[in-house]
């Protein structure tokens, strides 16, 4: 099972100096949805995750980690 580092999503967006509204527009979602993804209140869809990795110029591996139980 893969999980997204939700706190990292906000960190990397801010590090890249991409405002929330700009990132949401590039992702094709509204700001509230992106905020819910960044806070972990909504599950991130795979297509959005791929777009985030591209926009933020990071790998999927950086945004996710494998969970072991």
């Amino acid at each position: 099972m893969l999980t997204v580092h939700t706190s990292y999503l906000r960190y990397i967006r801010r590090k890249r100096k991409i405002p929330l509204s700009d990132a949401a527009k590039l992702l094709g979602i509204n700001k509230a949805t992106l905020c819910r993804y960044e806070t972990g209140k909504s599950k991130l869809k795979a297509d959005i995750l791929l777009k985030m990795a591209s926009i933020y110029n990071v790998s999927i591996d950086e945004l996710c980690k494998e969970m072991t139980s």
Side-chain angles (χ1 to χ4, degrees):
M1 175 183 210
L2 292 176
T3 187
V4 175
H5 297 277
T6 56
S7 60
Y8 186 70
L9 295 177
R10 180 174 286 167
Y11 166 79
I12 196 68
R13 177 180 56 76
R14 289 179 174 174
K15 184 176 178 182
R16 300 289 191 258
K17 298 181 178 173
I18 303 171
L20 183 73
S21 59
D22 290 352
K25 188 179 290 186
L26 290 168
L27 293 166
I29 58 177
N30 64 44
K31 292 188 304 185
T33 300
L34 180 53
C35 186
R36 286 192 300 271
Y37 289 152
E38 289 184 347
T39 59
K41 293 180 181 177
S42 289
K43 291 186 179 186
L44 191 57
K45 296 180 182 179
D47 62 325
I48 300 297
L49 181 64
L50 291 170
K51 287 180 185 178
M52 279 184 175
S54 176
I55 291 167
Y56 300 160
N57 196 29
V58 295
S59 70
I60 296 290
D61 290 340
E62 286 185 66
L63 297 178
C64 300
K65 68 177 181 178
E66 190 165 345
M67 297 293 289
T68 56
S69 48

